[in-house]
Amino acid sequence: MPDQFDYDLFTIGAGSGGVRASRVSAAHGAKVAIAEEHRVGGTCVIRGCVPKKMLVYGAQFAEDLEDCQRFGWDIGERSFDWIKLRDNVLDDVTRIEGSYTNTLESHGVEIFNERAEITGPHEITLASGKTVTAKHILIATGARPRMPECQGAEHAISSNEAFHLDELPKKIIIAGGGYIANEFAGIFNEFGCDVHIVNRGDRLLRSYDEAVRDRLLQISTTKGIKFRFNTTFEYIKPCDEGGYFVKLSDCDEEKADLVMFAVGRIPNTEGLGLENAGVELGEGGEVKVDRFSKTNVDHIYAVGDVTDRVQLTPVAIREGQAFAETVFGKGEPVAVDHSCIPSAVFSHPPIAAVGMTEGEAKNTLGSVKVYLSDFRPMKNVLAGRNERSLMKMVCDGDSGKIVGIHMIAPEAPEMMQAAAIAVKAGLTKADFDATVAIHPTMAEELVLMR
């Protein structure tokens, strides 16, 4: 008897979550197809975390080449070629895209390089007009940069376009106070641009601990990044000789070579036919799902940024894995634990965090103990760089259980990955105290706090 459906699973969107879900579902024996209108790999691989981290590495050399002289190195005349870095990064992105494609194909997943829309209860119509059916449909279309409404907003770029610039701006105004704004501010600053961050609110990185946020602001200001808070854009107008006239609400018109908006991201749910399929959306356009990533329609699921639960690549991957195990695996349904997720901001220097901030802990727990280490890394001392790192440990005052760790330091994300395991496992301050330090390292501060 022929199968009732063309596919067991049809995934719309080949980003981190969609690729993982499709690959694992196929490994469980499901017949799977995936549609992607842009490039396989999604935001993270093509226009997000991966190329961004490569630019961060490139930017770090600006400080390393300056500092190395104190370590005895004479490197002669320095010059920076943006086009060379840009093209090398984009070439590597293409390589990774190829590996993602190979992974899908090697698992027998059929790839449609075109847009797809749900046009019936189990029906998907591709941009080419081809119609297919699937027993299960997975929405994994991610999110896109939010572009605010102001006069001339179309002249600004988002983080998407930042990877493709033909030249570096002498002056760039970046709107936003989140991780994308601060990361690109650090990158452009190290490349010698005059960087201005404009934020409509009064603080940076709202979800991070106050002490860490304040330290980044202090260090960034010292590095030459200018900050303006509580201000909004009135207009952006092209200038005849190039660049733009920019008017902010709290000051006179000024000139900039480039304006970049990094003011949040919007779930990609438009034009997918979700309303016709009866899928419930939230106020921000996100797909509403239960703990197993299922929508209110039994056979339609969603994972990743399109659900706006936690917009992080590793979370989308876990959700994709859990979906595949739940729907096509042989065991019990699998739900992702969204608590105590570590995260990082690849600023200069980077920030990393896991668990509750000090403020959250004081509002949640009866008693809180906070341990702090404020120090100048050894490398900075010899380099003559007056830049201090900060680590904070937040503990339950009664049990000693560590409920949060926050740090701003060189390589903070690398240190945090291991520390996050301990926090997730429910270890205590005493457990850290009982661990012998590795000396000399920055990470030893985690087990030496008093």
Side-chain angles (χ1 to χ4, degrees):
M1 187 176 76
D3 292 335
Q4 184 181 354
F5 302 105
D6 298 322
Y7 301 99
D8 299 308
L9 170 65
F10 195 101
T11 301
I12 304 177
S16 298
V19 167
R20 174 61 64 90
S22 300
R23 176 176 68 78
V24 177
S25 297
H28 280 303
K31 186 179 181 184
V32 182
I34 192 167
E36 173 57 57
E37 67 175 339
H38 185 49
R39 295 173 69 182
V40 173
T43 293
C44 178
V45 169
I46 305 300
R47 53 194 173 274
C49 334
V50 170
K52 180 269 307 290
K53 185 72 182 289
M54 292 176 186
L55 293 187
V56 168
Y57 283 134
Q60 186 60 48
F61 278 104
E63 292 185 1
D64 289 343
L65 289 171
E66 186 179 308
D67 293 347
C68 74
Q69 297 168 66
R70 292 274 299 182
F71 290 84
W73 289 92
D74 181 5
I75 44 84
E77 187 178 349
R78 289 181 287 160
S79 65
F80 173 64
D81 186 337
W82 159 251
I83 299 300
K84 180 181 287 187
L85 173 61
R86 181 200 70 181
D87 289 352
N88 286 342
V89 168
L90 294 179
D91 285 347
D92 209 52
V93 164
T94 300
R95 178 190 64 79
I96 300 170
E97 179 190 10
S99 69
Y100 267 60
T101 302
N102 291 339
T103 296
L104 289 170
E105 290 176 343
S106 67
H107 282 80
V109 177
E110 188 172 355
I111 303 171
F112 292 100
N113 297 111
E114 54 186 309
R115 187 171 180 82
E117 181 181 344
I118 301 172
T119 49
H122 289 268
E123 182 184 84
I124 301 98
T125 300
L126 297 160
S128 59
K130 179 182 174 71
T131 299
V132 298
T133 58
K135 184 176 181 181
H136 299 281
I137 297 172
L138 177 66
I139 308 301
T141 47
R144 66 184 183 278
R146 180 190 304 277
M147 298 302 281
E149 293 180 8
C150 78
Q151 183 185 341
E154 68 274 10
H155 300 301
I157 67 165
S158 71
S159 55
N160 289 352
E161 293 77 41
F163 301 106
H164 299 272
L165 297 177
D166 288 328
E167 60 181 353
L168 290 173
K170 292 184 178 64
K171 175 181 176 180
I172 180 171
I173 298 177
I174 301 176
Y179 73 95
I180 295 174
N182 282 280
E183 287 171 344
F184 275 101
I187 289 167
F188 283 120
N189 178 68
E190 296 293 350
F191 290 157
C193 308
D194 179 16
V195 179
H196 298 245
I197 283 189
V198 173
N199 192 19
R200 66 178 182 179
D202 59 0
R203 65 184 69 179
L204 303 174
L205 299 166
R206 285 174 299 177
S207 64
Y208 286 85
D209 193 87
E210 186 174 4
V212 169
R213 288 191 274 124
D214 287 348
R215 181 60 55 89
L216 178 63
L217 178 59
Q218 173 192 333
I219 293 174
S220 297
T221 302
T222 302
K223 289 179 186 294
I225 298 172
K226 288 89 171 174
F227 292 86
R228 280 179 270 182
F229 296 98
N230 300 307
T231 185
T232 55
F233 281 76
E234 291 188 2
Y235 62 74
I236 304 167
K237 295 178 180 177
C239 179
D240 288 342
E241 62 266 25
Y244 304 93
F245 292 118
V246 179
K247 175 69 175 71
L248 299 168
S249 58
D250 66 341
C251 56
D252 295 335
E253 182 182 85
E254 60 188 290
K255 183 101 180 297
D257 299 291
L258 196 63
V259 179
M260 174 176 163
F261 284 124
V263 291
R265 297 177 66 80
I266 304 171
N268 286 320
T269 48
E270 296 91 343
L272 294 177
L274 297 177
E275 298 85 350
N276 297 335
V279 174
E280 190 177 348
L281 303 180
E283 289 183 8
E286 73 278 12
V287 180
K288 296 179 74 169
V289 292
D290 66 12
R291 56 194 291 263
F292 298 108
S293 295
K294 185 164 76 171
T295 70
N296 60 307
V297 179
D298 266 354
H299 65 280
I300 301 179
Y301 292 74
V303 297
D305 289 3
V306 76
T307 67
D308 201 18
R309 286 175 283 187
V310 179
Q311 291 192 343
L312 292 172
T313 295
V315 175
I317 291 171
R318 287 200 166 218
E319 289 169 0
Q321 177 88 29
F323 157 80
E325 299 291 350
T326 297
V327 176
F328 297 106
K330 302 296 186 284
E332 294 294 312
V334 179
V336 175
D337 179 4
H338 288 90
S339 66
C340 206
I341 295 172
S343 64
V345 181
F346 290 97
S347 45
H348 282 79
I351 287 171
V354 67
M356 289 188 244
T357 65
E358 180 180 347
E360 288 168 344
K362 286 179 176 176
N363 290 335
T364 306
L365 307 172
S367 171
V368 174
K369 282 189 179 177
V370 177
Y371 301 87
L372 200 68
S373 180
D374 190 335
F375 61 97
R376 199 170 162 209
M378 183 185 292
K379 183 181 176 185
N380 285 355
V381 173
L382 189 56
R385 185 175 292 278
N386 189 23
E387 187 176 295
R388 298 182 68 83
S389 295
L390 183 114
M391 296 185 185
K392 178 188 277 194
M393 185 178 288
V394 183
C395 303
D396 185 311
D398 296 326
S399 67
K401 179 181 175 181
I402 302 169
V403 297
I405 297 178
H406 312 272
M407 61 176 82
I408 177 169
E411 304 300 337
E414 300 292 343
M415 290 185 276
M416 183 58 72
Q417 183 65 81
I421 299 170
V423 177
K424 183 71 172 173
L427 298 190
T428 65
K429 177 69 167 65
D431 292 319
F432 271 55
D433 293 343
T435 303
V436 176
I438 301 173
H439 182 74
T441 64
M442 285 182 290
E444 70 180 306
E445 298 295 327
L446 288 168
V447 298
L448 297 176
M449 290 188 196
R450 293 289 179 266

